[in-house]
Amino acid sequence: MFKEKILDCSWEQFEEIIREAIGSGFIWKIRPGDTGANRQAVMESIERALREHNGSFPEEGDMFIEPEKRKPSSPEGETS
């Protein structure tokens, strides 16, 4: 899917490609070293998770990343 891009970009750009692929921010469960093989492994894992969940990245993530959890907003007018 993103093979050409992921091998030639900076790590920050690689992380942006991941955000675009999963549709949200994420946190690393396991942050691999910055090698071409590791980048390919991360993207293959993401692509597999998307395929297995009909195009939606699962809440629990995959072996490398998990989507950032959005904090629920408090109801208006509520005081602490």
Side-chain angles (χ1 to χ4, degrees), residues 61-80:
D62 66 3
M63 69 181 351
F64 295 103
I65 64 171
E66 66 181 60
E68 286 183 333
K69 306 286 189 259
R70 303 209 193 294
K71 293 181 181 174
S73 56
S74 61
E76 289 184 272
E78 185 177 301
T79 57
S80 325

Side-chain angles (χ1 to χ4, degrees), residues 6-74:
I6 67 168
L7 298 177
D8 297 328
C9 64
S10 69
W11 187 260
E12 291 76 21
Q13 291 168 321
F14 176 58
E15 289 183 331
E16 183 58 34
I17 291 168
I18 294 171
R19 284 188 282 279
E20 290 174 15
I22 69 170
S24 71
F26 68 92
I27 57 173
W28 288 103
K29 290 180 179 178
I30 300 171
R31 186 181 186 277
D34 189 5
T35 67
N38 286 343
R39 288 181 182 211
Q40 283 183 277
V42 169
M43 290 311 296
E44 287 170 4
S45 180
I46 291 168
E47 290 171 344
R48 185 173 35 259
L50 290 169
R51 262 193 324 274
E52 291 172 356
H53 293 89
N54 299 318
S56 296
F57 197 71
E59 272 186 43
E60 67 275 7
D62 66 3
M63 69 181 351
F64 295 103
I65 64 171
E66 66 181 60
E68 286 183 333
K69 306 286 189 259
R70 303 209 193 294
K71 293 181 181 174
S73 56
S74 61

